[in-house]
Amino acid sequence: MNQPLIEVRELAKIYGEGDAAVYALASVDASIERGEFVAVMGPSGSGKSTLMNILGCLDRPTTGAYMLDGSDVSGMSKNELAAVRNRKIGFIFQSFNLLPRLSALANVSLPVMYNDDDVSEEEQRERAIAALNSVGLGDRLHHRPNQLSGGQQQRVAIARALINNPPLILADEPTGNLDSRSSEEIMGLLHELHAKGTTIVMVTHEPDIATHAGRIVCVRDGKVVSDGRDGHSPCLDRKVLDGGKQ
Amino acid sequence: MKFKKSFRTAWEGLMLNKARSFLTTLGVIIGVASVIVMLAVSAGTEASIAEQINALGANLVIVSPSRGVPGASRTLLIDDAYAIAEQVVGITGISAEQAPAPLNVRAGGTTLESIAIIGTTADFPEVRDYAVAEGRYFTVDEDEREAKVAVLGAGIAKDLFGEESAIGQTITVGSTKLTVIGVMEAKGIVSDVDYDGRVYLPINLVFQKFMTSTPMGADRVRTIYVKAESQDQIDSVIAQITFLLAERHDVDPAQPDFTVQTQQDIIATQEATTAAFRDLLAWVAGISLIVGGIGIMNIMLVSVTERTREIGLRQALGARPADVLMQFLLEAVILSLAGGLVGVLVGVGGSYLFGAWGTMRTEIVPLSIPLAFGAAAVVGIFFGYYPATRAAKLDPIEALRRE
Ligand SMILES: Nc1ncnc2c1ncn2[C@@H]1O[C@H](COP(=O)(O)OP(=O)(O)O)[C@@H](O)[C@H]1O
Ligand SMILES: [Mg+2]
């Protein structure tokens, strides 16, 4: 298969109407090949999260086309989108988004529960343990989120994102709430995933983090202003990043 | 998602806030329990009415004058009773009864005021299954010759003579002196009639001494009890009595000026009255069940709002609208079924305690248990559906963004 994993054409997302209309995304064209590690950068409010939400099939574009893994996502029903999110996409959020009353094990198991495959309880448990082992939390199975550090919580979230073996991981500022040591651990895990062939799209503010990626897409005012694999990007310049902030 | 997993998810959701879940079920508990208790109370009432009416005596046919029948010029007479006794086949006896206005009863220094006096024929104890405890009842002969004898209810005997034997004593009823020849067994109050607080006299003596001032004449009876030989004879006895009396009264048997009833007829009439009462109770109980359901809906709406972010996350992880719907619907159904289960226990226990310690007789209606439990399930589904659809319709992005 040599078609790209992600292909978007003239993607636009408009909030509001008339004079009050906000172009969160204005005609974005992009394609991401299988196995790529892409960093999306840009000033605050430039449309990064909007783009990630659309790529994650959580939101629909106002106009434009989105092909994910060879299928047209734009015309899918809610149920089909839910199945796509479950099988093809692993989410990592800035705020971890773990369910506070569930153990690490139960949190990691959630995507399996919504799987159509008839997974037995033992298998679900084994897969969750394996996922937690792979992020180095094999000894924290029954801890609740509030008994774990921020870095550990994000590792639980990564285990949850990879438990269904999705081809795509979407991470919106995964290190945004973490100290630099935990950030490095998280990046190490993402590198491991990438090395195994998973495609990763990651939003970040931090140039250090972005340099982990093989490709940096720079977004401003809802448009892609630069997209390069040479390790250079206008967004790596602090001034550009801060320029977007009021 | 598989049902078992959905169930576990819903259960975990409820355990998140145990106190609130319990309080939410209270409404359903009260509703279900009251359905069971109310039905038990009305079933108990009906049973005791039936028992009381059956206590009038077995295989009875009850003849009484119709009131307010147009053109009914004649009423039930003692001769009608004699005619029945002579001509109707398949009966073992009759008891004609008439009661004058209550009178004072005196013996020695004791006066009992306003005592019910009942004139009967000699077969009264046998027909009404009401035995004489001491002494004897009067005979047909004594009745016919208006002998001045009296048989006392157990309570009257005690009030007048205490531990002393009443037999052979003289009492004064109104201004008539009578000799006590018997005391009835204690029977208590049945269908509002205090059998022990009455004085039983020969009916012809009553006509002669206590009813002469009545304008309608001193040979009317208020009821004729006819005892059939067996249950099988009852229909035939009713038919015979109807034709006999219709002929004697010169009325159309289809529109008689008297009524011929069995105990079953009377029970049915009484049940019609209690049915209205029971329906009212059932409505009250049903409404409390609905109020319980509204409580569940209220809490589920709060829960959906509180857990919006969780719903968004589950959607991001692949939960379909149907999965979210199922999760919240199951929570509501679990709440109502748990409420239903506890309600059944409380209702059954409550009915039992009411019966054991209260003044009311209760009889648990077996059908009321699945009925109330099923109603609780329906309430859970009905009132859980709206909050669950609200949850299922949430937009994942907006839900995730909510704090
Ligand atoms: N739900 C919304 N309603 C209105 N405007 C929105 C909404 N979501 C995002 N926006 C606007 O879209 C633009 C892009 O937002 P976002 O994608 O969150 O930016 P980023 O993640 O790059 O900081 C911003 O101007 C933001 O105010
Ligand atoms: Mg953002």
Side-chain angles (χ1 to χ4, degrees):
Chain A
M1 277 205 262
N2 41 14
Q3 81 202 126
L5 179 66
I6 287 174
E7 188 161 25
V8 293
R9 290 286 160 253
E10 294 175 13
L11 210 60
K13 181 74 186 179
I14 306 166
Y15 290 110
E17 275 172 37
D19 290 345
V22 175
Y23 281 73
L25 287 180
S27 197
V28 171
D29 290 294
S31 60
I32 295 170
E33 303 299 326
R34 285 161 207 281
E36 275 199 287
F37 190 160
V38 182
V40 177
M41 298 193 76
S44 188
S46 58
K48 305 180 297 292
S49 293
T50 305
L51 178 62
M52 293 294 270
N53 291 338
I54 292 171
L55 294 183
C57 299
L58 291 167
D59 205 356
R60 292 173 194 268
T62 310
T63 59
Y66 174 21
M67 300 286 286
L68 172 64
D69 203 11
S71 45
D72 185 0
V73 172
S74 326
M76 283 188 179
S77 70
K78 279 187 173 183
N79 282 343
E80 289 169 324
L81 289 176
V84 167
R85 291 194 294 267
N86 183 255
R87 297 195 163 265
K88 299 201 171 164
I89 304 169
F91 291 94
I92 301 169
F93 304 92
Q94 179 176 355
S95 53
F96 322 137
N97 270 337
L98 301 176
L99 294 186
R101 65 202 152 87
L102 296 188
S103 67
L105 196 63
N107 265 294
V108 170
S109 303
L110 282 175
V112 186
M113 279 185 16
Y114 296 111
N115 212 304
D116 272 334
D117 297 346
D118 199 1
V119 181
S120 71
E121 297 217 357
E122 299 91 90
E123 194 195 332
Q124 173 176 326
R125 194 183 151 81
E126 276 164 25
R127 274 167 65 178
I129 292 172
L132 279 166
N133 274 328
S134 74
V135 298
L137 287 177
D139 55 346
R140 296 283 193 281
L141 303 182
H142 302 292
H143 286 57
R144 299 205 171 192
N146 61 6
Q147 298 166 321
L148 298 169
S149 72
Q152 289 172 326
Q153 289 185 53
Q154 194 62 302
R155 276 147 69 189
V156 173
I158 291 175
R160 181 180 66 191
L162 57 81
I163 191 166
N164 276 345
N165 286 318
L168 175 64
I169 295 275
L170 295 176
D172 192 346
E173 303 197 39
T175 60
N177 284 2
L178 299 178
D179 59 49
S180 54
R181 234 200 72 190
S182 301
S183 299
E184 282 306 318
E185 282 173 14
I186 297 302
M187 291 319 294
L189 287 170
L190 290 181
H191 269 297
E192 275 179 37
L193 274 174
H194 179 227
K196 285 179 194 156
T198 309
T199 309
I200 297 173
V201 181
M202 172 186 72
V203 169
T204 183
H205 267 307
E206 297 151 76
D208 303 350
I209 299 294
T211 50
H212 284 273
R215 174 181 170 191
I216 300 174
V217 173
C218 185
V219 182
R220 266 185 95 166
D221 297 332
K223 291 184 192 107
V224 176
V225 293
S226 114
D227 182 352
R229 293 184 171 82
D230 54 2
H232 296 285
S233 170
C235 281
L236 287 174
D237 183 349
R238 277 267 167 215
K239 281 178 197 150
V240 174
L241 275 184
D242 296 341
K245 287 183 183 167
Q246 285 79 8
Chain B
M1 194 165 49
K2 290 202 25 202
F3 181 78
K4 198 171 151 197
K5 290 175 179 173
S6 308
F7 186 87
R8 178 173 302 169
T9 305
W11 181 256
E12 284 164 356
L14 293 172
M15 288 302 105
L16 179 64
N17 206 330
K18 292 193 187 77
R20 186 165 86 183
S21 299
F22 172 71
L23 290 174
T24 307
T25 58
L26 263 187
V28 175
I29 292 175
I30 292 168
V32 167
S34 53
V35 167
I36 292 172
V37 171
M38 305 250 156
L39 288 176
V41 165
S42 45
T45 310
E46 273 172 24
S48 67
I49 287 171
E51 215 163 74
Q52 290 182 351
I53 291 166
N54 285 326
L56 289 175
N59 301 334
L60 275 194
V61 172
I62 300 143
V63 187
S64 43
S66 299
R67 271 169 286 256
V69 173
S73 57
R74 301 189 50 131
T75 48
L76 214 52
L77 303 177
I78 187 71
D79 288 341
D80 290 331
Y82 294 148
I84 291 169
E86 275 164 29
Q87 295 176 36
V88 173
V89 286
I91 63 175
T92 61
I94 62 134
S95 170
E97 296 179 25
Q98 181 55 293
L103 292 165
N104 290 357
V105 174
R106 200 149 39 82
T110 319
T111 303
L112 305 177
E113 284 180 16
S114 200
I115 297 301
I117 309 297
I118 306 295
T120 78
T121 47
D123 281 347
F124 173 80
E126 192 266 316
V127 172
R128 299 289 303 274
D129 293 345
Y130 182 23
V132 178
E134 198 190 346
R136 60 176 180 87
Y137 213 70
F138 47 80
T139 60
V140 175
D141 178 54
E142 281 169 322
D143 180 19
E144 278 174 1
R145 59 186 170 81
E146 297 154 19
K148 293 197 172 54
V149 294
V151 178
L152 305 183
I156 297 286
K158 193 147 193 260
D159 289 349
L160 288 177
F161 304 109
E163 298 308 311
E164 217 181 309
S165 172
I167 310 300
Q169 305 267 17
T170 302
I171 59 168
T172 311
V173 174
S175 55
T176 307
K177 280 195 160 49
L178 303 171
T179 304
V180 177
I181 57 167
V183 176
M184 303 303 286
E185 65 178 5
K187 188 172 170 116
I189 297 170
V190 181
S191 292
D192 293 334
V193 174
D194 178 10
Y195 282 82
D196 299 343
R198 309 203 296 186
V199 173
Y200 302 91
L201 305 182
I203 194 164
N204 284 302
L205 177 69
V206 167
F207 290 149
Q208 178 63 29
K209 290 285 178 191
F210 305 114
M211 303 213 44
T212 43
S213 58
T214 331
M216 300 290 282
D219 58 350
R220 289 176 311 128
V221 297
R222 66 170 188 187
T223 319
I224 303 168
Y225 292 92
V226 181
K227 193 178 185 80
E229 278 170 0
S230 69
Q231 190 70 33
D232 303 339
Q233 297 285 343
I234 282 182
D235 286 343
S236 142
V237 167
I238 290 173
Q240 293 178 65
I241 292 171
T242 306
F243 281 100
L244 175 65
L245 294 188
E247 202 194 330
R248 289 178 58 85
H249 294 189
D250 195 19
V251 294
D252 178 357
Q255 284 174 306
D257 58 351
F258 54 89
T259 52
V260 184
Q261 287 176 294
T262 62
Q263 286 140 302
Q264 273 61 43
D265 296 334
I266 299 177
I267 290 169
T269 318
Q270 291 278 359
E271 274 177 358
T273 325
T274 53
F277 172 65
R278 181 190 56 211
D279 288 352
L280 179 73
L281 293 182
W283 275 107
V284 170
I287 286 168
S288 66
L289 203 50
I290 289 172
V291 171
I294 293 170
I296 290 184
M297 179 157 76
N298 185 24
I299 286 302
M300 291 312 298
L301 284 173
V302 171
S303 174
V304 168
T305 308
E306 281 176 355
R307 289 154 69 191
T308 299
R309 200 177 161 84
E310 171 189 333
I311 295 165
L313 174 74
R314 288 181 183 272
Q315 289 174 322
L317 299 181
R320 282 165 297 212
D323 294 325
V324 176
L325 183 96
M326 189 54 114
Q327 177 183 343
F328 285 90
L329 192 57
L330 269 180
E331 282 193 20
V333 171
I334 291 171
L335 280 180
S336 63
L337 287 187
L341 200 66
V342 176
V344 166
L345 296 178
V346 171
V348 170
S351 303
Y352 178 77
L353 291 182
F354 255 119
W357 294 339
T359 51
M360 248 180 267
R361 172 157 166 193
T362 54
E363 237 165 59
I364 292 159
V365 183
L367 191 66
S368 72
I369 292 169
L371 183 94
F373 193 70
V378 170
V379 158
I381 293 170
F382 185 83
F383 288 101
Y385 194 76
Y386 172 64
T389 48
R390 285 259 295 242
K393 277 185 192 155
L394 282 172
D395 180 62
I397 273 300
E398 277 171 24
L400 268 175
R401 207 177 277 145
R402 204 84 59 86
E403 263 323 304

